[in-house]
Amino acid sequence: MQSAVISEVGRREHNEDAAFASPRLIAAVADGVGGAAAGEVASMLAILKMIGLDKRRIEGPLERELNDAVIDANDVIAFATFCEPRHAGMGTT
């Protein structure tokens, strides 16, 4: 399988989209929550967790592993907000 990603900024001043596609058949798309602070940071942090999932050996059912990666991404985003208060309220889909 071949995969590719593309993003369109649209009317916004900057791009909050992040995407990942892997030959291992893992694909993910994240988009910052419009109007909230640092959506581009939140979406990239979420995608980085998916990349991490792709790079390691999956030990359990894929559904559980994906769920755990999303939970981890949420924790990382919360921690990043704690470390950088100006990013308070950042989020991603």
Side-chain angles (χ1 to χ4, degrees):
M1 179 174 116
Q2 292 182 337
S3 58
V5 295
I6 189 169
S7 177
E8 173 63 39
V9 177
R11 295 183 214 156
R12 300 207 183 272
E13 294 178 15
H14 62 280
N15 194 348
E16 296 184 349
D17 300 343
F20 171 70
S22 161
R24 290 181 63 190
L25 304 178
I26 293 177
V29 176
D31 186 13
V33 177
E40 69 281 3
V41 175
S43 61
M44 184 52 67
L45 290 172
I47 291 299
L48 287 171
K49 281 296 178 180
M50 297 305 118
I51 292 170
L53 175 63
D54 182 63
K55 300 298 180 195
R56 67 178 178 77
R57 183 167 189 243
I58 295 178
E59 300 290 332
L62 182 57
E63 182 178 329
R64 188 184 80 218
E65 297 283 347
L66 285 168
N67 185 65
D68 290 349
V70 170
I71 291 169
D72 288 347
N74 190 56
D75 290 345
V76 167
I77 291 167
F79 182 72
T81 299
F82 174 77
C83 293
E84 186 55 66
R86 67 186 169 102
H87 290 167
M90 73 176 169
T92 187
T93 58

